[in-house]
């Protein structure tokens, strides 16, 4: 996993904006979104719940997807998740 320094470094085929939603909603919505995506596509998640810093690495590990990058600025957390074969 890479910690990027500029938000412009983050890219996604699908952008999931879950800002202002409490835990566990961001991860639940991400789980639903990756089920609609094909392997190789990238999901970019924008969240404000501080718990997502802990939750998204665990989510990626448990589901077999790859957390490619994490970025945080001014209370907004961005996660770049590459969809792999796991669901």
């Amino acid at each position: 996993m890479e910690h990027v320094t500029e938000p412009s470094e983050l890219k996604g085929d699908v952008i999931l904006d879950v800002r202002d939603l409490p835990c566990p909603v961001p991860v639940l919505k991400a789980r639903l979104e990756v089920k609609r995506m094909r392997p190789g596509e990238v999901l970019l998640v924008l969240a404000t719940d501080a718990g997502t810093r802990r939750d998204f690495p665990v989510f990626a590990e448990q589901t077999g997807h790859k957390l490619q990058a994490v970025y945080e600025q001014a209370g907004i957390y961005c996660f770049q998740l590459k969809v792999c074969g796991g669901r």
Side-chain angles (χ1 to χ4, degrees):
M1 174 178 55
E2 177 183 350
H3 289 272
V4 298
T5 58
E6 290 295 323
S8 62
E9 296 177 47
L10 295 169
K11 304 286 185 229
D13 296 300
V14 175
I15 298 173
L16 178 63
D17 187 347
V18 290
R19 290 178 285 186
D20 298 322
L21 295 177
C23 181
V25 176
V27 170
L28 294 174
K29 286 190 172 277
R31 182 179 301 274
L32 291 173
E33 197 61 52
V34 297
K35 287 183 179 185
R36 296 185 201 122
M37 297 173 71
R38 294 187 307 263
E41 290 185 312
V42 175
L43 176 64
L44 181 60
V45 181
L46 308 173
T48 50
D49 188 308
T52 57
R53 292 181 295 178
R54 173 191 65 246
D55 296 342
F56 272 92
V58 172
F59 169 69
E61 184 178 321
Q62 289 179 346
T63 58
H65 304 301
K66 182 178 181 189
L67 187 57
Q68 294 182 311
V70 176
Y71 177 79
E72 187 269 323
Q73 182 178 22
I76 298 176
Y77 306 96
C78 304
F79 304 93
Q80 185 174 290
L81 185 74
K82 183 175 183 178
V83 177
C84 298
R87 299 263 174 175

